[in-house]
Amino acid sequence: QVQLRESGGGLVQAGGSLRLSCAASGSAFSINAIGWYRQAPGKQRELVAEISSDDNTNYADSVKGRFTISRDGAKNMVYLQMNSLKPEDTAAYYCKARTNLIYWGQGTQVTVSS
């Protein structure tokens, strides 16, 4: 079992920055990949960024060059640095971990005002 807890969401003006954190606990050592997804009202949940246990990263085209995913293996933490935020980045952001199963956090809201 893996438990995920997100933090760091909030309200920010367009062009601003936020840093999301995801704390993994439980069998965090078994995580193969961990990342961030987001879901805006009326839309499907979509990949934002993902990082593997060997630090390979994958980003959605819409966030490349603006968002950076990183992890601290010793602390079982994953971060999403979000810069140059746009109103279209407004969504609930979820941490997702993959072992032989999939685990989700409860999400944190990011709202970008224009």
Side-chain angles (χ1 to χ4, degrees):
Q1 290 279 346
V2 174
Q3 294 81 42
L4 303 170
R5 185 175 66 184
E6 303 96 335
S7 61
L11 173 64
V12 64
Q13 287 188 332
S17 298
L18 280 175
R19 187 195 196 205
L20 304 184
S21 300
C22 174
S25 60
S27 300
F29 60 89
S30 61
I31 294 174
N32 298 316
I34 189 165
W36 294 92
Y37 283 66
R38 67 186 180 188
Q39 188 167 19
K43 294 188 177 182
Q44 288 189 330
R45 193 171 295 189
E46 62 177 5
L47 170 71
V48 177
E50 187 176 59
I51 186 166
S52 67
S53 56
D54 56 358
D55 290 332
N56 287 318
T57 58
N58 181 35
Y59 292 92
D61 288 343
S62 59
V63 307
K64 284 181 180 177
R66 300 188 298 124
F67 291 10
T68 302
I69 189 170
S70 61
R71 68 184 188 94
D72 184 333
K75 297 180 179 179
N76 292 325
M77 295 290 297
V78 176
Y79 306 99
L80 185 68
Q81 179 66 43
M82 305 186 294
N83 299 328
S84 302
L85 282 160
K86 304 175 181 180
E88 51 263 44
D89 294 317
T90 295
Y93 283 70
Y94 297 89
C95 185
K96 172 189 171 183
R98 176 164 48 88
T99 62
N100 59 333
L101 298 172
I102 301 296
Y103 298 91
W104 291 95
Q106 292 196 337
T108 185
Q109 179 67 34
V110 172
T111 302
V112 184
S113 63
S114 57

